[in-house]
Amino acid sequence: MDEIMTRLSAKRAKRYDSGIFWDFLTKDRAFFELVGELYDKYPGVPVVGTVSFLTPALVVRSPENVRQILAGDTTSFNHRGIDVNGDVDPLADNLLLMNGIRWKLTRQKMTPLFTAAKLKNMFYIMDRNGRDFVDYIRTKPVSQKAFDTLNIFCAAAICSSIFGLGTKSSMDSPLLDMARKVVAPSLAKTLKITLVNTFPTLFRLLKLKVFVDYEDFFIDAMKKVLRARELDSVRKHDFADLCLELQRNGTMKDATSGYEIEPTDELMAAQAFFFIIAGVEPSATAMFFVLFEMAKHPEMLKKLHAEVDQTFEECKGDITYEAIVKMEYLDKVLDESMRMYPPIGSLNRKCTKNDVLPHGNIKVEEGTLLFIPVYSIHHDPIYYPDPETFDPERFSLEARQSRPKYTYLPFGDGHRVCLAARFARLQMKTGLVHVLRHFAVRTGDAGRPIKYFKLPVQVTPANVDFEFVERKLVR
Ligand code: HEM
């Protein structure tokens, strides 16, 4: 009991831990695995105290406390805990890394870009991406790992959703190389992210930039596209069109505080740039694990193929937005895949005003970091019995309704929930439907324990693979 009480106090926990970011720097483990060790070690407590170098931190275990942090009516937990130098690092001035009123106003103005109606208009781009992807798989190097193939697809899909389609295959976009470099893991990136997280003041004082390598190229590309669109009377329904719409509406203004932001090309470029970072790898991870699990479970693959074939037949070969949206089994498989392998394994917040968490009446002081262990919650047998078994039926309507809220968080939840969850789902489902119409999948890694890359938030597979096998379609 003593130890459990100690764990409730982040400050006192300082004496026991070397610090979670120190462990991240020195151990060969992904950050979500380190957070998960603390989650698993102290079952039954509402939070577990640790430190991030000198800053107190809490691993939040109970759904009630998760709710308060992500979706509660206070604004004390809306900060991501990362302070970048948005004034000198223009690409870091994006929705994920913004905080306070700047974040609130930008989020408000960007939210309408992802309505169902906008996605429906954009669907023709996703459909073309899916078709181009099938051709790409047929010609790709045999030795290319499936995760890399999916990463290339997701980079191509995001780039064409931002900048539009050209006459060539979307898999040949000139931005693809940059998009892939931006998301490739590297030691320098790990160090920068650790520095931003652990010594934010030093990071600001030194005016360090996270995304300096891509600044000129990306802002220039965005400016060129926006200027060309101003002269184009045909609407393309991609993000460039939507950015132009925002610019035409003029200065963005918060009605309550009067705070204003100019929708400059740089600000639009920062949001688009972040869509690449946010969109490519998580989507590739989710698609990878859907196909990997299908390769492990031929009976499920058969059922999914049947749904895909039926959908194609009902649409007479030309898949529609409405048809994709109502594919139930694909939805369940995708949901279960993101449960077992949530692409973002932990969510981070920083407390900006002294507050209290309801479960356990835990006082949280300003400056405390909060880690929500998404991967561990998704693998807790209390919420998901037999958690290491892949079972899409966990996502039938009845099963979903029987679980406590805030125990399924692949896209986060509450005030800072993924802005583009619907977009991402549609894009992944469209890619998967095209692939599964033409390919089966098989793997020799079914029994292998999965290892993950050492990354700050992602759950990225390091040691398993599968291959695409052409189907013989009976038409
Ligand atoms: C499978 C794919 C994706 C997954 C699993 C995913 C997951 C997430 C998660 C976990 C967060 C943090 C939520 C929180 O802190 O509560 C997030 C934030 C965000 N995501 Fe996604 N995401 C995906 C794809 C995308 C795509 C494609 C885009 C853009 C086109 C996008 C845009 C954003 C934005 C703008 C935020 C920041 C929201 C804010 O701070 O207000 N995401 N996403």
Side-chain angles (χ1 to χ4, degrees), residues 23-39:
D23 287 349
F24 180 56
L25 272 182
T26 54
K27 293 183 180 171
D28 189 23
R29 316 226 38 205
F31 189 72
F32 82 88
E33 293 176 299
L34 298 170
V35 172
E37 277 174 14
L38 291 174
Y39 183 94

Side-chain angles (χ1 to χ4, degrees), residues 80 103 107 274-275 279 283 349 410-413 416 418 420 428:
R80 277 204 190 281
W103 159 73
R107 177 149 184 136
F274 170 68
F275 289 170
S283 305
R349 295 288 190 273
F411 292 104
D413 208 325
R416 300 205 71 152
C418 177
M428 292 186 291

Side-chain angles (χ1 to χ4, degrees), residues 131-151:
R131 290 167 195 266
D132 290 347
F133 188 33
V134 168
D135 294 339
Y136 177 79
I137 294 176
R138 292 196 174 119
T139 56
K140 76 178 180 64
V142 181
S143 60
Q144 191 178 71
K145 301 258 185 235
F147 189 76
D148 292 336
T149 309
L150 289 162
N151 237 331

